[in-house]
Amino acid sequence: MDYSSVNVSLWNIIIQLGLIAGVILISQFLRSKLAFVRKSMMPVAVLGGFILLILKYIGLVKLDGELLEMLVYHCIALGFIAMSLRTTGGKLSGGGRRIGLRSGALIVGTYLVQGVAGLIITMGLAYTIMPGLFKAAGLLLPMGYGQGPGQANNIGGSYEAMGFAGGQSFGLAIAASGYLCACIVGVVMLNILSRRHKITSTGESKSSRDLSVGFFQDKNELPVSDSIDRLSVQFALILLVYLLTYLLTKALAGGVISLAPGLTDTVNTLLWGFNFIIGSAVAMLVRLLLNKAQKSRIIEHQYQNNYLLNRLSGFFFDIMIVAGISAINMEELSGLWLPFALLSLAGAVLTWLYLRWVCKKLYPDYYYEGLISMYGMLTGTIGSGILLLREMDPDFSSPAANNLLTGSSFAIIFGAPILVLVSLAPKSDLLCLATLCIAAVYLVLLTLVIFKAGGKGEREGN
């Protein structure tokens, strides 16, 4: 085997990870030395991502876009697996289940707000100043903002095959715009809330303030003097859970496809696109089995270390954020700049207004954490929601991070009708109009679910 630089496949991942590591360190240095950067509350990983993006576009570095997308995909799942393996939190009482259901309704309700606004914009343009515009193009707004680049790419590609010239690039551009919106608008709102003294955290973890032994380890954990390092055990648990996640997802996809071959594309998109949810569920099961084994004296010590799992989840999310921002690639949008600008602006503003209204009722005890994290997720990805939340709640002590996860699980169920509407809307002008009306009615119904599905004791269940 050739170990020299000629072997690109051998060294490429090291080069790309080295670039990511370099901009993270540079960003941390800038934040520690420059007061205006520190006061801006811009997360280190976000600053690093934009630095790397600029370096890419001025030609100083060459990035592997495919590898960066792989890092984003895997790091989201690995980060949530690490969070779900922790021995505290994540247990859903009756109130917690209701919050998960209502959070799912909130997520899909936001998709519908974006979809209704998107259809009004593109249908309005098509019937007035842009008669050649693909009328259903507005549905790419919830696909790009709400569900991310994967769905935006898939639906945009299918619309392109149905006559929307440049549909795939348009979908990806909307998704990139959403991610930028999550980062830029999210950071601006963090600064506004901080100046108004609505939030007080500056992203400092308790680990820099609380140095008691109890913070770093629980009772009956593996002894420090054991033959294996505790960090190695945490990595082993995370990677084992991810392997089990892969095997389970592959089995589920194969089973559904064998029973209903016509659903192949939809099933693959849902299962593999939301593998972080399956991974979190598997992690919770593994955590439960380890707990049972310890109580039954099958194993002597607790294997998980919450402090290290928190740090590892932060590590994976930092890599994901830098890779995600630096991978942004705005495709050529010749002739589509007006609908692109209108959709992007509508998505940013209406998503904020809807979430601000609903989150006050849904998350009264942690309104700002719930609002900012949901806004980050529903304009970008679940990772951008996490990065904004970490500036306010670096130790994930509020239920907001868990709501992103459990809400996404329920959103798969609530969101199933949307996939049908998205596929039917382009087939005719009448179906496009019908989709707009059905989406508006469904939005009202889900909003009622959000406000009416609560119950006594819910606050305690959080």
Side-chain angles (χ1 to χ4, degrees), residues 69 137 140-141 143-145 148-157 160 164 166-180 324 327-333 336 340 344 379:
E69 290 176 9
L140 289 173
L141 179 57
M143 295 298 103
Y145 270 47
Q151 282 284 50
N153 178 73
N154 293 340
I155 302 301
E160 189 166 331
F164 182 20
Q168 190 169 26
S169 294
F170 189 79
L172 288 171
I174 290 290
S177 171
Y179 199 87
L180 288 171
I328 291 174
N329 186 17
M330 300 294 284
E331 298 287 343
E332 181 61 41
L333 297 174
L336 296 172
F340 170 75
S344 298
T379 52

Side-chain angles (χ1 to χ4, degrees), residues 80 83-84 86 89-92 96 99-100 103 284 374 386 389 396 398-408 462:
F80 274 99
M83 286 177 58
S84 301
R86 295 179 302 179
K91 297 180 180 179
L92 293 176
I99 278 292
S103 295
M284 291 176 189
M374 280 291 179
I386 285 292
L389 178 61
F396 303 120
S398 76
N402 194 55
N403 290 343
L404 298 182
L405 185 61
T406 56
S408 296
N462 290 342

Side-chain angles (χ1 to χ4, degrees), residues 404-461:
L404 298 182
L405 185 61
T406 56
S408 296
S409 302
F410 283 100
I412 294 176
I413 301 171
F414 286 126
I418 294 180
L419 295 177
V420 177
L421 295 176
V422 166
S423 63
L424 289 177
K427 295 186 182 297
S428 71
D429 289 357
L430 183 60
L431 283 174
C432 194
L433 180 60
T435 295
L436 175 60
C437 296
I438 294 171
V441 172
Y442 192 28
L443 170 61
V444 173
L445 293 175
L446 284 180
T447 304
L448 289 175
V449 170
I450 296 169
F451 289 139
K452 301 296 184 181
K456 292 182 178 180
E458 178 172 89
R459 192 169 293 190
E460 287 80 358

Side-chain angles (χ1 to χ4, degrees), residues 193-205:
L193 292 174
S194 178
R195 291 192 183 102
R196 293 178 179 176
H197 305 289
K198 301 294 185 181
I199 59 175
T200 56
S201 175
T202 58
E204 181 187 9
S205 173

